[in-house]
C-alpha cells in the first residue's frame, strides 16, 4: 500500500510539471506582444518596457520558467497588472469560497445520486427505476444556469424561503449547491445503478443471501461496498468539474468565488491572475485524482496483487 | 526412427513479474521451464496437468502465439523459431488451434460460411470458386448440415460451435492440430460426440493432434502418448498404456488415484496430496513436487531429478523422480484401483 | 448408510420452478420429488439444462427473477418452507439449511476479510457478539482444514487459492450446524487433487455432524464416490432414482445408460464412446410425451404419452424395489404396445 502511494506520488511529478508549463506558457502564447495586450493600445513605449520588465519578458524563456517555478514554490504567483496586489492574495480567499461551494455541490450529488441509483437498481424495470432514470436524464440535460434561475425564482422570489444571492450564511448554501449538484447527481445515479445491477448478479451476493443476511444488509453492505468502487472514480472527477464549472453558478448567485475572479481577470486582460487561477485549479484537480486513486485502492483490495 | 513432425527442445516461457516503487522486474513466473518432447506424424500426444502446470502456455509457445523465452522448435524439419513474422503467418496454416470456448473465437457477425471462407482465403489454400463446395464438404465432415453454414454462431449449441471450430481448423488442411481444453466446457453427452468426431477425423485424414487437457479420462480415450506436467516441468512421459497401467512418478500416481471412478463398488485407495500447488513464481528447490509428495526425502529438496528410464519401463517411458524404483516396487504398478 | 426409517430431513414434493421470459414460460423444474434423511447423501446428477441447479436454488429460495417457484412443497423436518414468510425463512437460511456453490473464486465477497464472512452467519443466527463470533469463525476455519486459521481470518479472499476458498465456503455453510447442506457442483471448478480433498472433507464433516447432504453434480464419478442415493434429472424431471450401487450396477433409463457409456474413463480402455444423439430440446420444442423420446434409441409409439416415475415392474433383471424410473419400457404397457406394433 505504501509502495503504491509513493509510486503514485512520483507519477504526480511529471503531471505537475506539465500543468505549470502550460500555465506558464499562457502568457507566452498570447498572440502578439503580451505586454502590449495587457497594457492596452494606448500604452506608451516606456510603459510597455516597464510591463515587460515587471513580467520578466526580456529574459530567455528557460530563465523565465525557472523564475516562475522558484516563485511558485514560495507560493508567489506574481502580481495583478491591474491592482498590483499579489495574485495569491486575490486567489486564496476566493478559492476557499469555491471549494466550499463545490463541496456542498458534491454532497448533494453524492447523496441524491447514490440513493437514486440504489433505489433504481433494486427494483429494476419498475416505475421507481423508470422514474429515477427519467429524473436523471432531465437533470443531466438541464442547463446549469437555467436551473439556478428557476430555483431562485421559486424558492427566493415566490416562496421567499431562501436568499437569492451571496455566500456566507447557511441559508445561502442550498440553492447554489443544488444547482451545482444536480447534473452530478444524475451522472452518479446512472453510474450507481449500473454498478449495483452488475454487483447484485454476483455470486457473493447470492452467498450473502444464502447465509441468511437480511435483504437490506445484502444491498447496503455486501453489494454497495463493491458497487462503490467504480462510482468513487466518477465522484472524484465530478469534484474537479465542479471546481472549474463553478463560474456559472457563481455568476447566477452573485458569489464572489474563483470563477468570478477569473472571468473578471480575462475581461480585464489581467493575465497573471488568470495564470494563478489556472495553476490553483489544476493542482487541486490533480490532488483530487490522487486522493481518489488511493481511495479506490482502499476500497478495492484486489488491485493490490496485480 | 523417423524424424518427428514436430519437436521442441528445452522450451522455456517466463513471464516477468513487476513490482516495487519503480515497477521494475522483480522475478519471473516460470510457466514453462525446460520442456522437451516430439510429436510423430499421425499420433495424438496429450499434455495433462492441473491448472498452473504450464500445459496451455506450452501449447501457445510452440505455436509462437506467445514468443518462447528460450528453446528450440522444429516443425517438419524447419527451425520454427527462425521464421520471420510473414513466413510464420504462412506456416500457421500447417498448425491450427482449437480453444475451449469456440464462441469467443468465432466472429458473431459472420455467418459460418463466411468464417470458413475467410480462413481459407487468408491462407490461400483453396481457389475462390472451389470454396463453396469445400464449405459444404467441411460441414458434412464435422457432422453438421451444409445448410447450417448460412447461420450465425449464436444459433448453435456449445457442441455444434466446437464442430464449427474444428471445421475451421480443418479448412486449411493443417498438419498438426492443437486442441487446448477443446472439450472441457461441454456436457458429457456432447463431449463424447466431439471426441468421437476427432478420432474419426484423425483416421480419415491422417491428422496429428496435440491434445491439452486436465481430464485424464478424456486423455486416456484420445491419446497415443501422454506428457504429465507439474509446475512448468514434465514429470512423466509415456505411451498411453504404460502411463495408465504403470505410472512411475508419484504425482502421476496421485493424480490418477484422485479421480473419482464412476463405480461405487470399486474401492479407491487414494494418495491424498496435501495442500495446494506452490506458486510458479517461487517454485520449490530440487524436485518441484517435493512439498506435496508423500515419498519425499532429503535428496528431493536438493537435487532436481532428470527425466530417466528405470529398469522395467518400455517404449520411451520416462519419469523424473529420484525414488520411482522403490515406489513402484513397494506399492505395485497400478496405484489407484482395486477390485 | 441411509437411515430411511426416520422422518426425512428434507422432503421435496412436486416442485415446479419456471422462468417467465419474453418467449413464454420455461419450466426449468417440473414436478420433482425426492427426500434425504439424516446422515444421508442424495446425489442429483444431470447435464446443463436438466434443472438440477434450479432445484437446489429453489430449496434455498434463491431463484432470481424472472424465475419463480410455482408449486409443490419443500419440507424441512416436517415444516413446509414454501409456506413461510420471507422473514421467517431468512431464519432458516444459512442456519438450518446451508449451501455451497460451484465457483469458489467468485462466491466470497472481495471487500471483506474471510474471518468477517465466516462470523457473519454466526452473528445473525447464533446472536454471538463480535469477539465470540470471531473465535468461533477461527475454530470453523480450523475444522475445515485451513492452516494458520488466525492469520487466514484476516486475509481477503483473493489472497487464498481456489481450494482454500471452497473450504472457507464450507466453513460458512457449516458454522451454524445445519441439518441440511446443499452442495451445488462443489468441486467442478477445482483441480482433481483438490477435489479429492474437498469431497473427503465434506464426508468427514457429515460423519461427525449427521447432517443430510444434497450434492448436485454432472460428474458420475463424484456421485459414485459420495452419494448414498441418486436422482438422475433430465429436462426438468427426475427420470431415475435408486440407491447408488443399484444405479451403477443396472441403470434402467435409456438416458442414464447413455450417460454412463459416454464418459471417457481413466481406469478402463474404451474404444468408442457411446453417444447420445442430438441435444436437450429447448422449451419450445419439448415433446409432450417422454422428454427423452427424440434422443432415445428405443422410442416407440407409446412414448408419445408422458410416463410417470414409478417402480419398475417389467423387463429388468434383479428383483428389488428400491428404485424408480420414468420410462415405459419397465411397465406392462410396454409389452402390449410393442407386441401390437410387431403384429402390425
Amino acid at each position: 500500500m505504501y509502495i503504491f502511494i509513493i509510486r503514485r506520488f512520483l507519477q504526480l511529478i511529471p503531471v505537475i510539471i506539465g500543468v505549470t508549463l502550460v500555465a506558464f506558457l499562457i502568457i507566452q502564447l498570447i498572440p502578439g506582444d503580451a505586454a502590449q495586450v495587457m497594457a492596452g493600445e494606448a500604452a506608451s513605449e516606456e510603459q510597455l518596457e516597464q510591463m515587460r520588465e515587471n513580467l520578466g519578458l526580456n529574459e530567455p524563456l528557460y530563465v523565465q520558467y525557472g523564475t516562475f517555478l522558484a516563485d511558485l514554490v514560495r507560493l508567489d504567483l506574481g502580481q495583478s497588472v491591474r491592482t498590483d496586489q499579489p495574485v495569491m492574495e486575490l486567489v486564496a480567499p476566493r478559492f476557499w469560497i469555491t471549494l466550499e461551494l463545490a463541496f456542498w455541490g458534491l454532497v448533494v450529488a453524492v447523496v441524491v445520486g447514490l440513493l437514486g441509483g440504489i433505489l433504481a437498481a433494486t427494483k429494476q424495470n419498475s416505475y421507481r427505476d423508470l422514474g429515477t432514470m427519467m429524473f436523471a436524464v432531465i437533470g443531466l440535460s438541464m442547463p446549469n444556469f437555467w436551473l439556478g434561475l428557476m430555483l431562485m425564482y421559486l424558492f427566493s422570489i415566490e416562496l421567499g424561503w431562501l436568499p437569492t444571492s451571496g455566500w456566507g450564511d447557511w441559508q445561502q448554501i442550498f440553492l447554489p449547491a443544488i444547482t451545482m449538484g444536480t447534473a452530478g447527481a444524475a451522472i452518479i445515479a446512472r453510474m450507481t445503478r449500473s454498478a449495483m445491477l452488475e454487483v447484485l448478479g454476483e455470486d457473493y451476493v447470492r452467498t450473502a443471501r444464502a447465509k441468511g443476511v437480511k435483504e437490506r444488509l445484502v444491498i447496503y453492505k455486501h453489494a454497495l461496498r463493491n458497487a462503490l468502487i467504480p462510482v468513487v472514480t466518477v465522484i472524484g472527477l465530478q469534484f474537479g468539474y465542479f471546481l472549474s464549472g463553478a463560474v456559472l453558478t457563481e455568476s447566477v448567485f452573485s458569489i464572489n468565488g474563483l470563477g468570478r475572479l477569473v472571468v473578471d481577470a480575462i475581461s480585464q486582460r489581467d493575465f497573471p491572475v488568470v495564470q494563478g487561477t489556472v495553476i490553483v485549479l489544476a493542482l487541486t484537480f490533480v490532488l483530487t485524482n490522487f486522493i481518489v486513486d488511493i481511495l479506490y485502492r482502499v476500497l478495492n483490495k484486489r488491485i493490490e496483487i496485480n | 526412427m523417423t524424424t518427428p513432425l514436430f519437436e521442441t527442445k528445452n522450451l522455456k516461457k517466463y513471464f516477468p513479474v513487476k513490482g516495487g516503487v519503480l515497477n521494475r522486474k522483480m522475478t519471473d513466473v516460470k510457466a514453462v521451464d525446460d520442456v522437451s518432447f516430439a510429436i510423430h506424424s499421425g499420433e495424438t500426444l496429450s499434455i495433462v496437468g492441473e491448472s498452473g502446470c504450464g500445459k496451455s502456455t506450452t501449447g501457445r509457445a510452440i505455436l509462437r502465439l506467445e514468443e518462447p523465452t528460450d528453446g528450440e522448435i522444429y516443425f517438419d524439419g524447419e527451425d520454427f523459431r527462425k521464421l520471420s513474422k510473414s513466413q510464420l503467418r504462412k506456416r500457421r496454416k500447417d498448425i491450427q488451434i482449437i480453444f475451449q470456448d469456440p464462441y469467443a473465437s468465432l466472429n458473431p457477425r459472420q455467418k459460418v460460411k463466411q468464417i470458413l471462407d475467410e480462413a481459407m482465403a487468408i491462407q490461400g489454400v483453396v481457389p475462390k470458386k472451389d470454396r463453396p463446395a469445400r464449405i459444404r464438404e467441411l460441414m458434412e465432415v464435422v457432422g453438421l448440415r451444409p445448410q447450417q453454414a448460412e447461420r450465425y454462431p449464436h444459433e448453435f449449441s456449445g457442441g455444434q460451435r466446437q464442430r464449427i471450430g474444428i471445421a475451421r481448423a480443418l479448412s486449411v488442411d493443417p498438419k498438426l492440430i492443437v486442441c487446448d481444453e477443446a472439450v472441457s466446457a461441454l456436457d458429457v453427452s456432447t463431449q463424447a460426440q466431439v471426441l468421437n468426431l476427432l478420432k474419426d477425423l484423425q483416421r480419415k485424414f491422417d491428422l496429428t493432434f496435440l491434445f491439452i487437457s486436465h481430464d485424464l479420462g478424456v486423455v486416456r480415450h484420445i491419446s497415443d502418448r501422454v506428457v504429465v506436467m507439474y509446475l512448468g516441468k514434465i514429470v512423466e512421459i509415456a505411451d498411453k498404456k504404460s502411463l495408465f497401467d504403470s505410472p512411475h512418478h508419484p504425482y502421476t500416481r496421485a493424480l490418477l488415484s484422485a479421480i473419482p471412478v464412476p463405480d461405487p463398488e470399486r474401492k479407491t485407495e487414494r494418495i491424498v496430496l496435501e495442500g495446494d500447488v506452490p506458486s510458479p513464481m517461487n517454485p520449490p528447490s530440487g524436485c518441484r513436487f517435493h512439498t506435496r509428495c508423500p515419498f519425499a526425502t532429503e535428496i528431493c529438496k536438493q537435487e532436481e531429478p532428470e527425466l530417466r528410464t528405470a529398469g522395467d519401463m518400455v517404449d520411451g517411458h520416462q519419469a523424473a523422480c529420484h525414488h520411482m524404483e522403490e515406489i513402484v516396487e513397494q506399492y505395485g504398478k497400478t496405484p489407484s484401483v482395486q477390485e | 448408510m441411509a437411515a430411511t426409517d426416520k422422518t426425512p430431513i428434507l422432503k421435496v414434493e412436486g416442485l415446479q420452478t419456471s422462468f417467465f421470459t419474453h418467449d413464454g414460460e420455461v419450466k426449468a423444474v417440473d414436478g420433482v420429488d425426492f427426500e434425504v434423511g439424516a446422515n444421508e447423501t442424495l446425489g442429483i446428477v444431470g447435464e446443463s439444462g436438466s434443472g438440477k441447479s434450479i432445484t437446489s436454488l429453489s430449496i434455498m429460495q434463491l431463484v432470481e427473477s424472472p424465475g419463480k417457484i410455482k408449486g409443490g412443497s419443500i419440507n424441512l423436518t416436517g415444516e413446509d418452507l414454501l409456506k413461510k414468510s420471507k422473514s421467517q425463512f431468512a431464519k432458516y437460511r444459512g442456519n438450518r439449511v446451508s449451501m455451497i456453490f460451484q465457483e469458489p473464486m467468485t462466491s466470497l465477497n472481495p471487500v471483506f476479510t474471510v474471518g468477517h464472512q465466516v462470523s457473519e452467519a454466526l452473528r445473525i443466527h447464533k446472536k454471538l457478539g463480535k469477539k465470540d463470533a470471531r473465535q468461533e469463525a477461527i475454530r470453523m476455519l480450523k475444522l475445515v482444514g485451513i492452516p494458520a486459521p488466525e492469520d487466514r481470518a484476516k486475509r481477503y479472499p483473493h489472497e487464498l487459492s481456489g481450494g482454500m476458498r471452497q473450504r472457507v465456503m464450507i466453513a460458512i455453510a457449516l458454522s451454524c450446524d445445519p441439518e441440511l447442506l446443499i452442495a451445488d457442483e462443489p468441486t467442478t471448478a477445482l483441480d482433481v487433487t483438490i477435489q479429492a480433498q474437498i469431497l473427503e472433507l465434506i464426508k468427514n464433516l457429515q460423519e461427525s455432524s449427521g447432517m443430510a447432504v444434497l450434492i448436485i453434480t454432472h460428474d458420475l464419478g463424484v456421485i459414485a464416490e459420495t452419494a448414498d442415493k441418486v436422482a438422475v434429472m433430465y429436462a426438468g424431471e427426475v427420470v431415475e432414482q435408486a440407491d447408488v450401487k443399484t444405479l451403477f450396477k443396472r441403470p434402467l433409463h435409456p438416458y442414464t445408460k447413455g450417460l454412463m457409456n459416454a464418459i471417457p474413463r481413466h481406469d478402463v480402455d474404451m474404444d468408442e464412446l457411446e453417444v447420445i444423439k442430438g441435444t436437450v430440446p429447448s422449451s419450445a420444442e419439448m415433446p409432450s410425451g417422454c422428454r427423452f423420446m427424440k434422443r432415445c434409441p428405443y422410442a416407440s409409439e407409446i412414448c408419445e404419452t408422458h410416463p410417470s416415475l414409478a417402480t419398475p415392474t417389467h423387463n429388468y433383471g434383479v428383483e428389488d424395489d428400491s428404485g424408480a424410473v420414468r420410462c415405459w419400457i419397465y411397465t406392462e404397457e410396454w409389452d402390449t404396445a410393442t407386441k401390437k406394433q410387431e403384429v402390425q
Side-chain angles (χ1 to χ4, degrees):
Chain A
M1 186 73 199
Y2 297 109
I3 289 178
F4 170 77
I5 293 177
I6 295 167
R7 195 196 298 162
R8 196 66 195 73
F9 192 76
L10 290 179
Q11 284 169 359
L12 281 185
I13 294 171
V15 178
I16 291 174
I17 292 176
V19 165
T20 55
L21 196 64
V22 169
F24 167 73
L25 288 174
I26 286 177
I27 291 189
Q28 308 300 329
L29 292 176
I30 297 167
D33 185 356
Q36 179 82 62
V37 174
M38 280 186 259
E41 296 291 331
S44 68
E45 193 53 42
E46 289 83 59
Q47 280 175 314
L48 280 179
E49 195 47 48
Q50 185 62 41
M51 179 76 82
R52 286 196 195 101
E53 196 61 41
N54 286 352
L55 293 169
L57 290 178
N58 293 330
E59 306 284 340
L61 259 188
Y62 66 91
V63 175
Q64 287 185 40
Y65 184 56
T67 326
F68 174 79
L69 280 184
D71 287 346
L72 192 63
V73 172
R74 292 199 303 270
L75 293 178
D76 179 0
L77 295 173
Q79 276 156 12
S80 161
V81 292
R82 297 288 159 230
T83 64
D84 280 343
Q85 269 179 291
V87 172
M88 202 60 204
E89 269 176 37
L90 285 169
V91 169
R94 291 178 175 80
F95 175 66
W96 288 116
I97 292 178
T98 301
L99 207 61
E100 221 181 312
L101 177 61
F103 171 77
W104 289 113
L106 194 70
V107 169
V108 171
V110 170
V111 172
V112 176
L114 282 184
L115 277 177
I118 293 166
L119 285 178
T122 46
K123 275 255 182 196
Q124 198 191 354
N125 298 330
S126 65
Y127 287 111
R128 187 163 92 189
D129 181 15
L130 224 71
T132 319
M133 284 307 108
M134 218 151 85
F135 264 108
V137 171
I138 294 170
L140 209 55
S141 41
M142 203 156 27
N144 221 332
F145 64 91
W146 185 80
L147 174 66
L149 289 173
M150 285 300 111
L151 287 173
M152 199 193 287
Y153 176 74
L154 183 66
F155 290 101
S156 310
I157 298 168
E158 284 295 311
L159 297 169
W161 291 353
L162 295 164
T164 51
S165 58
W167 192 254
D169 281 346
W170 64 268
Q171 295 102 320
Q172 290 169 327
I173 291 172
F174 290 96
L175 296 184
I178 293 170
T179 307
M180 251 186 140
T182 301
I187 291 171
I188 291 171
R190 298 208 321 190
M191 188 77 203
T192 308
R193 177 179 180 269
S194 64
M196 276 300 270
L197 282 179
E198 199 182 313
V199 169
L200 285 172
E202 292 283 351
D203 290 345
Y204 53 78
V205 168
R206 189 180 58 191
T207 305
R209 291 199 178 113
K211 268 195 256 185
V213 177
K214 291 214 176 66
E215 191 61 22
R216 179 177 286 268
L217 266 183
V218 169
I219 289 165
Y220 287 94
K221 181 178 165 190
H222 287 267
L224 188 60
R225 262 300 289 276
N226 285 284
L228 273 183
I229 294 167
V231 175
V232 161
T233 318
V234 176
I235 293 176
L237 282 175
Q238 286 300 312
F239 190 67
Y241 291 137
F242 283 177
L243 283 176
S244 49
V247 172
L248 280 172
T249 314
E250 286 174 6
S251 304
V252 170
F253 293 96
S254 318
I255 297 167
N256 207 3
L258 212 53
R260 282 279 293 277
L261 179 71
V262 79
V263 170
D264 292 346
I266 290 170
S267 61
Q268 291 171 7
R269 284 169 297 204
D270 192 348
F271 291 107
V273 174
V274 177
Q275 198 176 44
T277 318
V278 167
I279 286 179
V280 168
L281 280 180
L283 289 184
T284 318
F285 203 105
V286 170
L287 205 69
T288 318
N289 269 321
F290 175 60
I291 294 168
V292 167
D293 269 5
I294 293 169
L295 241 149
Y296 185 86
R297 179 89 171 193
V298 170
L299 278 173
N300 192 354
K301 307 284 189 222
R302 275 168 303 187
I303 328 181
E304 226 160 294
I305 243 176
N306 304 332
Chain B
M1 213 169 177
T2 52
T3 34
L5 173 69
F6 172 89
E7 190 169 16
T8 183
K9 287 180 187 161
N10 311 102
L11 184 75
K12 287 178 187 161
K13 177 67 197 173
Y14 295 173
F15 296 98
V17 178
K18 290 176 176 174
V21 175
L22 296 171
N23 212 17
R24 271 195 302 214
K25 190 179 125 174
M26 310 279 280
T27 177
D28 282 312
V29 171
K30 295 177 178 173
V32 180
D33 199 7
D34 202 355
V35 159
S36 308
F37 61 86
I39 310 172
H40 297 277
S41 193
E43 78 166 344
T44 300
L45 176 78
S46 289
I47 305 181
V48 69
E50 297 180 284
S51 45
C53 73
K55 56 186 190 299
S56 285
T57 312
T58 304
R60 286 200 298 272
I62 61 169
L63 282 165
R64 287 181 62 191
L65 291 176
E66 282 183 52
E67 207 53 51
T69 311
D70 195 17
E72 298 162 54
I73 302 170
Y74 298 98
F75 185 75
D76 229 357
E78 191 175 23
D79 190 339
F80 206 61
R81 287 201 67 194
K82 289 229 173 76
L83 297 179
S84 69
K85 278 250 161 72
S86 61
Q87 286 171 316
L88 183 66
R89 211 161 26 240
K90 276 184 209 136
R91 278 314 222 155
R92 281 266 156 78
K93 89 166 199 47
D94 290 333
I95 312 182
Q96 288 290 307
I97 186 161
I98 304 170
F99 295 101
Q100 171 169 1
D101 179 10
Y103 197 49
S105 59
L106 298 174
N107 184 343
R109 288 172 209 286
Q110 281 186 327
K111 287 179 184 170
V112 170
K113 67 169 186 188
Q114 290 168 309
I115 292 171
L116 297 177
D117 186 86
E118 193 179 81
M120 289 186 269
I122 290 171
Q123 295 297 348
V125 277
V126 183
K128 197 166 171 123
K129 64 174 169 44
D130 296 339
R131 279 187 222 142
R134 175 78 174 136
I135 290 170
R136 276 197 299 279
E137 188 191 323
L138 283 166
M139 293 295 282
E140 270 167 15
V141 160
V142 299
L144 295 169
R145 278 179 284 117
Q147 305 90 287
Q148 287 176 305
E150 298 293 330
R151 294 194 192 168
Y152 291 93
H154 70 86
E155 296 174 70
F156 293 88
S157 68
Q160 288 174 322
R161 276 180 212 145
Q162 201 53 289
R163 288 171 191 269
I164 298 168
I166 295 168
R168 179 172 61 181
L170 286 177
S171 70
V172 295
D173 281 323
K175 291 185 180 147
L176 173 68
I177 298 180
V178 178
C179 303
D180 189 357
E181 298 278 8
V183 296
S184 305
L186 305 176
D187 267 323
V188 179
S189 63
T190 337
Q191 174 180 293
Q193 295 171 1
V194 174
L195 284 176
N196 284 348
L197 172 69
L198 288 174
K199 272 193 142 179
D200 282 349
L201 293 174
Q202 180 164 41
R203 250 171 262 149
K204 229 182 262 173
F205 301 113
D206 197 27
L207 294 171
T208 309
F209 286 124
L210 173 62
F211 203 88
I212 297 164
S213 177
H214 70 282
D215 187 329
L216 279 155
V218 169
V219 164
R220 177 168 194 156
H221 184 69
I222 196 119
S223 329
D224 298 308
R225 288 193 304 133
V226 184
V227 166
V228 183
M229 282 184 76
Y230 183 79
L231 265 181
K233 294 233 174 234
I234 294 180
V235 295
E236 187 154 5
I237 180 164
D239 65 292
K240 172 171 73 179
K241 194 169 163 21
S242 306
L243 189 96
F244 285 92
D245 291 349
S246 143
H248 273 58
H249 198 282
Y251 177 64
T252 316
R253 297 170 75 92
L255 206 57
L256 284 170
S257 78
I259 308 166
V261 183
D263 184 348
E265 308 269 344
R266 280 199 178 190
K267 256 272 166 273
T268 311
E269 197 179 292
R270 183 156 291 166
I271 309 168
V272 176
L273 293 182
E274 301 291 329
D276 288 315
V277 182
S279 159
M281 218 186 289
N282 190 12
S285 62
C287 173
R288 292 189 176 185
F289 185 56
H290 85 252
T291 52
R292 299 175 79 199
C293 182
F295 309 103
T297 59
E298 206 48 45
I299 186 177
C300 305
K301 288 179 200 162
Q302 282 150 16
E303 245 177 74
E304 190 175 324
E306 300 261 317
L307 274 173
R308 63 194 174 92
T309 303
D312 59 340
M313 291 156 100
V314 288
D315 293 334
H317 186 172
Q318 288 184 309
C321 173
H322 293 299
H323 299 303
M324 58 191 181
E325 288 89 348
E326 297 119 80
I327 294 166
V328 172
E329 193 173 323
Q330 196 175 342
Y331 295 91
K333 279 192 163 178
T334 33
S336 60
V337 184
Q338 298 174 338
E339 291 287 341
Chain C
M1 273 231 33
T4 34
D5 46 354
K6 285 183 281 176
T7 348
I9 299 281
L10 177 76
K11 188 174 172 122
V12 173
E13 282 177 304
L15 180 69
Q16 288 181 304
T17 303
S18 288
F19 285 78
F20 296 90
T21 66
H22 292 297
D23 304 326
E25 181 184 350
V26 177
K27 294 176 178 172
V29 179
D30 197 6
V32 163
D33 310 278
F34 58 79
E35 53 181 68
V36 207
N39 220 352
E40 189 179 48
T41 302
L42 171 70
I44 300 186
V45 66
E47 297 181 281
S48 42
S50 63
K52 59 187 193 304
S53 277
I54 301 300
T55 302
S56 63
L57 290 173
S58 299
I59 298 168
M60 291 297 279
Q61 298 187 24
L62 288 172
V63 182
E64 272 169 52
S65 161
K68 245 182 126 171
I69 300 174
K70 242 177 59 183
S73 66
I74 299 170
N75 285 287
L76 186 74
T77 56
E79 292 174 272
D80 189 350
L81 298 179
L82 293 180
K83 292 220 172 76
K84 307 240 171 257
S85 72
K86 256 191 181 166
S87 61
Q88 279 175 320
F89 183 68
K91 294 198 179 94
Y92 286 71
R93 206 149 63 183
N95 187 16
R96 297 180 57 190
V97 197
S98 285
M99 184 160 178
I100 54 177
F101 302 95
Q102 175 174 356
E103 287 296 336
M105 303 314 266
T106 53
S107 288
L108 290 167
N109 197 323
V111 302
F112 298 109
T113 61
V114 162
H116 179 96
Q117 296 188 55
V118 180
S119 53
E120 201 174 13
L122 289 160
R123 297 189 64 186
I124 296 169
H125 299 297
K126 297 280 181 240
K127 308 277 183 259
L128 293 185
K130 207 170 182 175
K131 236 179 143 187
D132 292 342
R134 188 155 195 92
Q135 282 296 312
E136 182 61 15
I138 289 169
R139 194 184 70 82
M140 285 310 298
L141 289 176
K142 198 170 174 183
L143 187 73
V144 297
I146 290 180
E150 288 89 357
D151 173 63
R152 294 295 158 90
K154 290 179 216 143
R155 305 274 175 160
Y156 289 90
H158 71 257
E159 297 174 85
L160 305 184
S161 68
M164 282 299 148
R165 287 187 217 185
Q166 197 60 299
R167 284 173 193 267
V168 172
M169 284 299 291
I170 294 172
I172 293 173
L174 298 190
S175 60
C176 295
D177 207 4
E179 290 149 76
L180 172 69
L181 173 71
I182 302 172
D184 185 2
E185 303 267 12
T187 56
T188 307
L190 304 173
D191 278 322
V192 276
T193 58
I194 309 298
Q195 164 169 288
Q197 296 171 359
I198 297 291
L199 293 179
E200 185 92 10
L201 173 68
I202 295 177
K203 206 178 228 172
N204 290 341
L205 292 169
Q206 181 182 27
E207 263 164 34
S208 58
S209 74
M211 63 186 172
V213 173
L214 182 61
I215 190 158
I216 283 113
T217 179
H218 70 282
D219 187 335
L220 281 165
V222 171
I223 289 282
E225 191 133 305
T226 56
D228 301 313
K229 295 191 306 185
V230 189
V232 182
M233 281 189 74
Y234 181 80
E237 295 178 322
V238 173
V239 293
E240 183 161 6
Q241 211 164 27
D243 75 76
V244 72
K245 284 190 178 158
T246 314
L247 186 90
F248 280 90
K249 207 188 296 162
R250 46 120 255 236
L252 294 179
H253 198 283
Y255 175 65
T256 318
K257 286 183 186 169
L259 212 51
M260 286 189 185
N261 293 322
I263 321 168
R265 291 178 54 167
H266 74 283
D267 57 332
V268 270
D269 267 322
M270 296 164 107
D271 190 35
E272 186 89 334
L273 295 172
E274 201 172 291
V275 160
I276 304 173
K277 62 182 182 194
T279 47
V280 183
S282 71
S283 84
E285 45 193 35
M286 192 65 73
S288 61
C290 170
R291 295 184 175 174
F292 189 59
M293 196 179 116
K294 288 199 178 132
R295 303 177 73 187
C296 182
Y298 314 106
S300 141
E301 230 170 82
I302 191 175
C303 304
E304 304 276 359
T305 317
H306 194 245
S308 54
L309 186 67
T311 310
T313 54
H314 267 68
N315 299 324
Y316 70 105
V318 210
E319 273 302 318
D320 73 55
D321 55 4
S322 65
V325 62
R326 193 186 289 279
C327 179
W328 286 113
I329 296 176
Y330 307 102
T331 62
E332 275 176 58
E333 285 91 331
W334 179 262
D335 290 348
T336 25
T338 41
K339 256 180 218 137
K340 209 163 65 193
Q341 267 182 338
E342 272 166 33
V343 173
Q344 284 167 357

